[in-house]
Amino acid sequence: MRLIADNLRITQKAIEIAVAEKDSLPLQAMAKLCAMAGADGIDINSGPLYRNPESRMAFMVEAVQEVTGLPLILDTSNPKALKAGLLACKTPVTLNGLSLEPSKLEHILPLAVAFQTEIVCYLLYPNGHVPPDSTERLNVAVSLYQKCIDAGVEPDRVIIDPVVVPLSWQDGLFQAREVLTVIKTLPELLGFPVRTIAGLSNLTAGAKNLTKKHLAQQTYLPMLAASGLSIILMNVLNAESVRVALMCRLFSQESIFTWEMVA
Amino acid sequence: MRLIADNLRITQKAIEIAVAEKDSLPLQAMAKLCAMAGADGIDINSGPLYRNPESRMAFMVEAVQEVTGLPLILDTSNPKALKAGLLACKTPVTLNGLSLEPSKLEHILPLAVAFQTEIVCYLLYPNGHVPPDSTERLNVAVSLYQKCIDAGVEPDRVIIDPVVVPLSWQDGLFQAREVLTVIKTLPELLGFPVRTIAGLSNLTAGAKNLTKKHLAQQTYLPMLAASGLSIILMNVLNAESVRVALMCRLFSQESIFTWEMVA
């Protein structure tokens, strides 16, 4: 299981201001902290970037690349920003992401093909809503995967995000289970070991009690891993969660175990 | 997922002395602590009880029953002790346990039939050794399950223990994964939602670093839960592990989630 930092997001005030003022230091400090914390990649979540999308995304990518060679995930619904980010990227890059929403199929899918990137595919309805259960998510997965293949994306460049929703939703516990079912079922359904990604922070969106929030995340994370998750998008600055993630990864290793391997 | 306390075991010096001296207080104190910690049942691990097996097991059962009505699991390889424990038990009881070892098939299986108890079935070879992988464990499961049915045990009284081994074994990481596979596969293999049990403490047997030991247990526990484990045998006096176990259980509930439900 690979660990991708979700910390570099524009919803954090310091990042928002840094991007608006083109001040690279806060971005670089955050990127460096993520790398030191054990991230295998960094998700650059710029938001939709309504103003100056090209220059702002290029700025973010360039700032981060000055301090780390980690693979980047470009996380925005703005195709102009995505393209500018792609042009600025020196390392392998992943687009985050595609869904059955018509505008995304029209504008984002061609970028993934043209730049031969990996692409995160969200299991959402064409209207952007979350399907009610695993069966509906799997139906969406088949459609969306087929659209990728038809457009010319290589199967091993597809990464599927079953969409973790907040536990606080009315059917939050049910949805959490359905996500596990989707992750377990996808490889057989698509006929190859398709990779999956999940955003852990979303599970506890709105939680006020930090202890409970971390307990929920640190319990659900091994459940995702045991279901076969390939990539976890998470707050890598929570040291305890990272220790759990690395322990999950250890359980998947082929090597001989020693207690020295445990973080 | 039900939580069974593994704390009442004769390998603990205080328990050993209490049993030898027929001093019920240490047993009752431990049983009470387990009940208060959230245990759904208590495993009475008396060891083989070479001397006075009947009176010692009856003493343990009676002492515990004076302070709690929790279901008991009688955990000994000594059939005489098991029978004495069964006769002393007032609440539903589980025998722990059966395997393909000839002496157990001969002496323990008839007790489960005669007393209509639940019975834990260990996936071990007839010589008591641990099978090397999930396929071999599943072969054992089919044989052992059939022996139970042939003897007259009701299917829903069978509880299968895939046998968690220490991570420190040469193939400890592999075995940990194989145990998850067995738990996931058994219901389909046997054609009904057969219950499973696993002993969590065994995973970290020999570990000296408590922090690492707890991390390994608290990561593996949700993996077991996500694989469909029915019953976890664990140290319920580790409050953090119990919080993780209760969070696992919460993820399996049908109810509407609220943060007040998190321990």
Side-chain angles (χ1 to χ4, degrees), chain B residues 202-217:
Chain B
N202 212 28
L203 183 76
T204 57
K208 292 187 182 73
N209 181 313
L210 271 187
T211 308
K212 293 182 176 189
K213 172 177 155 171
H214 293 156
L215 174 66
Q217 289 193 11

Side-chain angles (χ1 to χ4, degrees), chain A residues 167-170 173-174 176-177 180 184 203-207 211-213 215-216 218-220 222-223 225-227 240 243-244 247-248 250-257 259-263, chain B residues 167-170 173-174 176-177 180 184 203-207 211-213 215-216 218-220 222-223 225-227 240 243-244 247-248 250-257 259-263:
Chain A
L167 278 174
S168 57
W169 281 21
Q170 181 170 330
L173 289 170
F174 174 76
R177 286 194 295 277
L180 300 180
K184 288 175 192 165
L203 183 76
T204 56
T211 307
K212 292 182 176 189
K213 172 176 156 170
L215 174 66
Q218 288 160 19
T219 303
Y220 195 56
M223 295 180 135
S227 303
E240 193 56 34
R243 290 181 75 228
V244 171
M247 189 71 220
C248 288
L250 193 48
F251 273 116
S252 71
Q253 284 185 11
E254 301 296 331
S255 50
I256 293 176
F257 175 87
W259 283 102
E260 283 69 39
M261 297 159 77
V262 179
Chain B
L167 278 173
S168 58
W169 281 21
Q170 181 169 330
L173 288 170
F174 174 75
R177 287 194 295 278
L180 300 181
K184 287 174 191 164
L203 183 76
T204 57
T211 308
K212 293 182 176 189
K213 172 177 155 171
L215 174 66
Q218 288 159 22
T219 304
Y220 194 56
M223 295 180 134
S227 302
E240 192 57 34
R243 290 181 76 227
V244 171
M247 190 70 219
C248 287
L250 194 47
F251 273 116
S252 71
Q253 285 185 10
E254 301 296 331
S255 49
I256 293 176
F257 174 86
W259 282 103
E260 282 70 38
M261 295 160 76
V262 179

Side-chain angles (χ1 to χ4, degrees), chain A residues 196-207:
Chain A
T196 45
I197 188 171
L200 190 60
S201 303
N202 212 28
L203 183 76
T204 56

Side-chain angles (χ1 to χ4, degrees), chain B residues 13 32 47 49 77 84 100 104 110 112 170 215 227 256 260:
Chain B
K13 202 70 191 173
K32 202 75 192 165
L49 287 178
S77 56
L100 286 177
K104 297 197 173 171
Q170 181 169 330
L215 174 66
S227 302
I256 293 176
E260 282 70 38

